[in-house]
mmCIF file of all heavy atoms in Angstrom:
data_model
loop_
_atom_site.group_PDB
_atom_site.id
_atom_site.type_symbol
_atom_site.label_atom_id
_atom_site.label_comp_id
_atom_site.label_asym_id
_atom_site.label_seq_id
_atom_site.Cartn_x
_atom_site.Cartn_y
_atom_site.Cartn_z
ATOM 1 N N ALA A 1 82.666 69.661 95.123
ATOM 2 C CA ALA A 1 83.567 70.709 94.645
ATOM 3 C C ALA A 1 85.022 70.322 94.855
ATOM 4 O O ALA A 1 85.884 70.595 94.013
ATOM 5 C CB ALA A 1 83.258 72.032 95.360
ATOM 6 N N LEU A 2 85.310 69.655 95.976
ATOM 7 C CA LEU A 2 86.683 69.221 96.228
ATOM 8 C C LEU A 2 87.150 68.208 95.188
ATOM 9 O O LEU A 2 88.320 68.182 94.804
ATOM 10 C CB LEU A 2 86.794 68.600 97.628
ATOM 11 C CG LEU A 2 86.778 69.576 98.814
ATOM 12 C CD1 LEU A 2 86.703 68.805 100.118
ATOM 13 C CD2 LEU A 2 87.996 70.476 98.793
ATOM 14 N N LEU A 3 86.217 67.386 94.718
ATOM 15 C CA LEU A 3 86.578 66.401 93.707
ATOM 16 C C LEU A 3 86.746 67.022 92.338
ATOM 17 O O LEU A 3 87.485 66.538 91.505
ATOM 18 C CB LEU A 3 85.510 65.299 93.645
ATOM 19 C CG LEU A 3 85.480 64.326 94.826
ATOM 20 C CD1 LEU A 3 84.284 63.397 94.693
ATOM 21 C CD2 LEU A 3 86.759 63.524 94.912
ATOM 22 N N LEU A 4 86.038 68.129 92.087
ATOM 23 C CA LEU A 4 86.061 68.727 90.759
ATOM 24 C C LEU A 4 87.346 69.473 90.472
ATOM 25 O O LEU A 4 87.822 69.489 89.344
ATOM 26 C CB LEU A 4 84.871 69.682 90.590
ATOM 27 C CG LEU A 4 83.498 69.021 90.448
ATOM 28 C CD1 LEU A 4 82.422 70.074 90.333
ATOM 29 C CD2 LEU A 4 83.456 68.115 89.237
ATOM 30 N N VAL A 5 87.940 70.135 91.475
ATOM 31 C CA VAL A 5 89.167 70.872 91.222
ATOM 32 C C VAL A 5 90.340 69.909 91.268
ATOM 33 O O VAL A 5 90.308 68.909 91.969
ATOM 34 C CB VAL A 5 89.386 72.009 92.263
ATOM 35 C CG1 VAL A 5 88.303 73.039 92.134
ATOM 36 C CG2 VAL A 5 89.430 71.467 93.675
ATOM 37 N N PRO A 6 91.401 70.165 90.485
ATOM 38 C CA PRO A 6 92.530 69.241 90.470
ATOM 39 C C PRO A 6 93.167 69.100 91.840
ATOM 40 O O PRO A 6 93.213 68.032 92.401
ATOM 41 C CB PRO A 6 93.495 69.868 89.473
ATOM 42 C CG PRO A 6 92.722 70.875 88.718
ATOM 43 C CD PRO A 6 91.593 71.292 89.586
ATOM 44 N N ILE A 7 93.684 70.168 92.349
ATOM 45 C CA ILE A 7 94.272 70.195 93.687
ATOM 46 C C ILE A 7 94.109 71.618 94.200
ATOM 47 O O ILE A 7 94.435 72.569 93.507
ATOM 48 C CB ILE A 7 95.777 69.845 93.663
ATOM 49 C CG1 ILE A 7 96.004 68.379 93.252
ATOM 50 C CG2 ILE A 7 96.412 70.097 95.012
ATOM 51 C CD1 ILE A 7 95.426 67.360 94.205
ATOM 52 N N SER A 8 93.606 71.787 95.390
ATOM 53 C CA SER A 8 93.547 73.126 95.975
ATOM 54 C C SER A 8 94.090 73.041 97.394
ATOM 55 O O SER A 8 93.632 72.239 98.199
ATOM 56 C CB SER A 8 92.114 73.662 95.980
ATOM 57 O OG SER A 8 91.252 72.782 96.651
ATOM 58 N N ILE A 9 95.100 73.830 97.649
ATOM 59 C CA ILE A 9 95.711 73.807 98.976
ATOM 60 C C ILE A 9 94.741 74.442 99.969
ATOM 61 O O ILE A 9 94.286 75.570 99.795
ATOM 62 C CB ILE A 9 97.042 74.577 98.972
ATOM 63 C CG1 ILE A 9 98.005 73.943 97.951
ATOM 64 C CG2 ILE A 9 97.668 74.581 100.344
ATOM 65 C CD1 ILE A 9 98.344 72.507 98.243
ATOM 66 N N ASN A 10 94.390 73.686 101.001
ATOM 67 C CA ASN A 10 93.478 74.185 102.027
ATOM 68 C C ASN A 10 93.872 73.575 103.363
ATOM 69 O O ASN A 10 94.890 72.890 103.470
ATOM 70 C CB ASN A 10 92.021 73.839 101.663
ATOM 71 C CG ASN A 10 91.846 72.359 101.346
ATOM 72 O OD1 ASN A 10 92.395 71.513 102.047
ATOM 73 N ND2 ASN A 10 91.089 72.049 100.288
ATOM 74 N N SER A 11 93.053 73.786 104.379
ATOM 75 C CA SER A 11 93.393 73.271 105.705
ATOM 76 C C SER A 11 93.470 71.748 105.721
ATOM 77 O O SER A 11 94.212 71.162 106.497
ATOM 78 C CB SER A 11 92.345 73.748 106.723
ATOM 79 O OG SER A 11 91.049 73.321 106.318
ATOM 80 N N GLN A 12 92.700 71.130 104.821
ATOM 81 C CA GLN A 12 92.694 69.674 104.788
ATOM 82 C C GLN A 12 93.979 69.108 104.201
ATOM 83 O O GLN A 12 94.438 68.034 104.584
ATOM 84 C CB GLN A 12 91.487 69.194 103.972
ATOM 85 C CG GLN A 12 91.254 67.694 104.061
ATOM 86 C CD GLN A 12 90.016 67.275 103.309
ATOM 87 O OE1 GLN A 12 89.430 68.054 102.583
ATOM 88 N NE2 GLN A 12 89.617 66.016 103.489
ATOM 89 N N THR A 13 94.560 69.830 103.232
ATOM 90 C CA THR A 13 95.751 69.320 102.553
ATOM 91 C C THR A 13 97.038 69.938 103.065
ATOM 92 O O THR A 13 98.118 69.491 102.688
ATOM 93 C CB THR A 13 95.651 69.598 101.047
ATOM 94 O OG1 THR A 13 95.580 71.014 100.836
ATOM 95 C CG2 THR A 13 94.449 68.919 100.432
ATOM 96 N N SER A 14 96.950 70.956 103.900
ATOM 97 C CA SER A 14 98.157 71.677 104.314
ATOM 98 C C SER A 14 99.133 70.794 105.076
ATOM 99 O O SER A 14 100.336 71.034 105.060
ATOM 100 C CB SER A 14 97.772 72.894 105.174
ATOM 101 O OG SER A 14 97.051 72.474 106.321
ATOM 102 N N ASN A 15 98.619 69.736 105.744
ATOM 103 C CA ASN A 15 99.503 68.835 106.475
ATOM 104 C C ASN A 15 99.938 67.635 105.643
ATOM 105 O O ASN A 15 100.658 66.766 106.137
ATOM 106 C CB ASN A 15 98.804 68.335 107.756
ATOM 107 C CG ASN A 15 98.583 69.463 108.752
ATOM 108 O OD1 ASN A 15 99.416 70.359 108.852
ATOM 109 N ND2 ASN A 15 97.475 69.409 109.471
ATOM 110 N N GLN A 16 99.471 67.597 104.422
ATOM 111 C CA GLN A 16 99.839 66.500 103.529
ATOM 112 C C GLN A 16 100.988 66.995 102.650
ATOM 113 O O GLN A 16 100.797 67.750 101.705
ATOM 114 C CB GLN A 16 98.623 66.074 102.698
ATOM 115 C CG GLN A 16 97.509 65.499 103.588
ATOM 116 C CD GLN A 16 96.232 65.207 102.819
ATOM 117 O OE1 GLN A 16 95.917 65.873 101.835
ATOM 118 N NE2 GLN A 16 95.489 64.212 103.276
ATOM 119 N N LYS A 17 102.198 66.559 102.988
ATOM 120 C CA LYS A 17 103.399 67.167 102.416
ATOM 121 C C LYS A 17 103.563 66.919 100.920
ATOM 122 O O LYS A 17 104.381 67.577 100.278
ATOM 123 C CB LYS A 17 104.634 66.669 103.176
ATOM 124 C CG LYS A 17 104.683 67.170 104.615
ATOM 125 C CD LYS A 17 105.978 66.773 105.305
ATOM 126 C CE LYS A 17 106.022 67.321 106.726
ATOM 127 N NZ LYS A 17 107.280 66.957 107.434
ATOM 128 N N TRP A 18 102.811 65.958 100.363
ATOM 129 C CA TRP A 18 102.898 65.760 98.913
ATOM 130 C C TRP A 18 102.274 66.911 98.135
ATOM 131 O O TRP A 18 102.425 67.000 96.932
ATOM 132 C CB TRP A 18 102.277 64.425 98.509
ATOM 133 C CG TRP A 18 100.907 64.141 99.073
ATOM 134 C CD1 TRP A 18 99.714 64.390 98.488
ATOM 135 C CD2 TRP A 18 100.628 63.536 100.331
ATOM 136 N NE1 TRP A 18 98.692 63.985 99.300
ATOM 137 C CE2 TRP A 18 99.225 63.446 100.438
ATOM 138 C CE3 TRP A 18 101.432 63.047 101.375
ATOM 139 C CZ2 TRP A 18 98.596 62.889 101.559
ATOM 140 C CZ3 TRP A 18 100.797 62.508 102.473
ATOM 141 C CH2 TRP A 18 99.407 62.427 102.573
ATOM 142 N N PHE A 19 101.606 67.827 98.845
ATOM 143 C CA PHE A 19 101.082 69.032 98.199
ATOM 144 C C PHE A 19 101.974 70.247 98.437
ATOM 145 O O PHE A 19 101.653 71.346 97.986
ATOM 146 C CB PHE A 19 99.668 69.339 98.710
ATOM 147 C CG PHE A 19 98.661 68.301 98.324
ATOM 148 C CD1 PHE A 19 97.939 67.614 99.297
ATOM 149 C CD2 PHE A 19 98.438 67.996 96.996
ATOM 150 C CE1 PHE A 19 97.012 66.653 98.948
ATOM 151 C CE2 PHE A 19 97.510 67.033 96.643
ATOM 152 C CZ PHE A 19 96.792 66.357 97.615
ATOM 153 N N ASP A 20 103.088 70.058 99.104
ATOM 154 C CA ASP A 20 104.002 71.157 99.430
ATOM 155 C C ASP A 20 104.941 71.406 98.243
ATOM 156 O O ASP A 20 105.895 70.657 98.023
ATOM 157 C CB ASP A 20 104.801 70.811 100.692
ATOM 158 C CG ASP A 20 105.688 71.958 101.161
ATOM 159 O OD1 ASP A 20 105.814 72.967 100.428
ATOM 160 O OD2 ASP A 20 106.265 71.840 102.258
ATOM 161 N N THR A 21 104.679 72.464 97.495
ATOM 162 C CA THR A 21 105.446 72.731 96.270
ATOM 163 C C THR A 21 106.849 73.255 96.549
ATOM 164 O O THR A 21 107.629 73.429 95.609
ATOM 165 C CB THR A 21 104.692 73.732 95.381
ATOM 166 O OG1 THR A 21 104.457 74.935 96.121
ATOM 167 C CG2 THR A 21 103.376 73.156 94.896
ATOM 168 N N THR A 22 107.178 73.506 97.818
ATOM 169 C CA THR A 22 108.553 73.923 98.125
ATOM 170 C C THR A 22 109.494 72.715 98.167
ATOM 171 O O THR A 22 110.713 72.878 98.165
ATOM 172 C CB THR A 22 108.629 74.658 99.477
ATOM 173 O OG1 THR A 22 108.291 73.760 100.541
ATOM 174 C CG2 THR A 22 107.665 75.850 99.489
ATOM 175 N N LEU A 23 108.933 71.516 98.219
ATOM 176 C CA LEU A 23 109.730 70.299 98.218
ATOM 177 C C LEU A 23 109.924 69.792 96.797
ATOM 178 O O LEU A 23 109.169 70.143 95.889
ATOM 179 C CB LEU A 23 109.044 69.212 99.061
ATOM 180 C CG LEU A 23 108.759 69.542 100.529
ATOM 181 C CD1 LEU A 23 108.004 68.400 101.200
ATOM 182 C CD2 LEU A 23 110.064 69.827 101.278
ATOM 183 N N SER A 24 110.911 68.942 96.603
ATOM 184 C CA SER A 24 111.125 68.346 95.284
ATOM 185 C C SER A 24 110.043 67.311 95.007
ATOM 186 O O SER A 24 109.367 66.825 95.924
ATOM 187 C CB SER A 24 112.501 67.686 95.218
ATOM 188 O OG SER A 24 112.532 66.530 96.051
ATOM 189 N N HIS A 25 109.887 66.971 93.733
ATOM 190 C CA HIS A 25 108.923 65.932 93.385
ATOM 191 C C HIS A 25 109.225 64.636 94.130
ATOM 192 O O HIS A 25 108.315 63.967 94.645
ATOM 193 C CB HIS A 25 108.945 65.670 91.877
ATOM 194 C CG HIS A 25 108.329 66.758 91.065
ATOM 195 N ND1 HIS A 25 108.592 66.933 89.731
ATOM 196 C CD2 HIS A 25 107.453 67.730 91.400
ATOM 197 C CE1 HIS A 25 107.914 67.962 89.273
ATOM 198 N NE2 HIS A 25 107.221 68.472 90.275
ATOM 199 N N GLU A 26 110.494 64.268 94.185
ATOM 200 C CA GLU A 26 110.869 63.020 94.843
ATOM 201 C C GLU A 26 110.504 63.037 96.324
ATOM 202 O O GLU A 26 109.991 62.040 96.860
ATOM 203 C CB GLU A 26 112.376 62.764 94.680
ATOM 204 C CG GLU A 26 112.809 62.363 93.274
ATOM 205 C CD GLU A 26 112.881 63.551 92.311
ATOM 206 O OE1 GLU A 26 112.711 64.702 92.771
ATOM 207 O OE2 GLU A 26 113.096 63.315 91.114
ATOM 208 N N GLU A 27 110.762 64.168 96.997
ATOM 209 C CA GLU A 27 110.430 64.266 98.419
ATOM 210 C C GLU A 27 108.925 64.184 98.633
ATOM 211 O O GLU A 27 108.441 63.505 99.556
ATOM 212 C CB GLU A 27 110.971 65.578 98.993
ATOM 213 C CG GLU A 27 112.489 65.634 99.087
ATOM 214 C CD GLU A 27 112.998 67.013 99.481
ATOM 215 O OE1 GLU A 27 112.462 68.029 98.960
ATOM 216 O OE2 GLU A 27 113.921 67.079 100.305
ATOM 217 N N ARG A 28 108.175 64.862 97.795
ATOM 218 C CA ARG A 28 106.713 64.869 97.928
ATOM 219 C C ARG A 28 106.151 63.464 97.724
ATOM 220 O O ARG A 28 105.260 63.017 98.457
ATOM 221 C CB ARG A 28 106.102 65.849 96.925
ATOM 222 C CG ARG A 28 106.483 67.300 97.203
ATOM 223 C CD ARG A 28 106.154 68.197 96.024
ATOM 224 N NE ARG A 28 104.727 68.343 95.828
ATOM 225 C CZ ARG A 28 104.173 69.015 94.809
ATOM 226 N NH1 ARG A 28 104.957 69.584 93.901
ATOM 227 N NH2 ARG A 28 102.865 69.112 94.713
ATOM 228 N N ILE A 29 106.690 62.763 96.732
ATOM 229 C CA ILE A 29 106.203 61.417 96.439
ATOM 230 C C ILE A 29 106.560 60.462 97.571
ATOM 231 O O ILE A 29 105.752 59.593 97.950
ATOM 232 C CB ILE A 29 106.769 60.924 95.093
ATOM 233 C CG1 ILE A 29 106.192 61.761 93.951
ATOM 234 C CG2 ILE A 29 106.453 59.447 94.870
ATOM 235 C CD1 ILE A 29 106.876 61.551 92.620
ATOM 236 N N ASP A 30 107.750 60.614 98.137
ATOM 237 C CA ASP A 30 108.135 59.767 99.274
ATOM 238 C C ASP A 30 107.153 59.941 100.435
ATOM 239 O O ASP A 30 106.749 58.954 101.071
ATOM 240 C CB ASP A 30 109.554 60.100 99.734
ATOM 241 C CG ASP A 30 110.622 59.611 98.757
ATOM 242 O OD1 ASP A 30 110.314 58.719 97.944
ATOM 243 O OD2 ASP A 30 111.756 60.138 98.806
#
């Protein structure tokens, strides 16, 4: 199920800042 959805913010991704939509694209990619 995790592979089927594009991106879902959860406890696993909450510490991965590239999923933080409050940051700019450039910051997330860095």
Side-chain angles (χ1 to χ4, degrees):
L2 285 172
L3 288 174
L4 288 178
V5 295
I7 293 297
S8 56
I9 301 299
N10 52 43
S11 58
Q12 189 177 10
T13 61
S14 59
N15 293 325
Q16 296 174 330
K17 293 185 178 180
W18 49 94
F19 294 121
D20 185 352
T21 57
T22 65
L23 302 177
S24 69
H25 287 160
E26 288 78 6
E27 291 172 318
R28 295 166 69 184
I29 293 169
D30 288 340

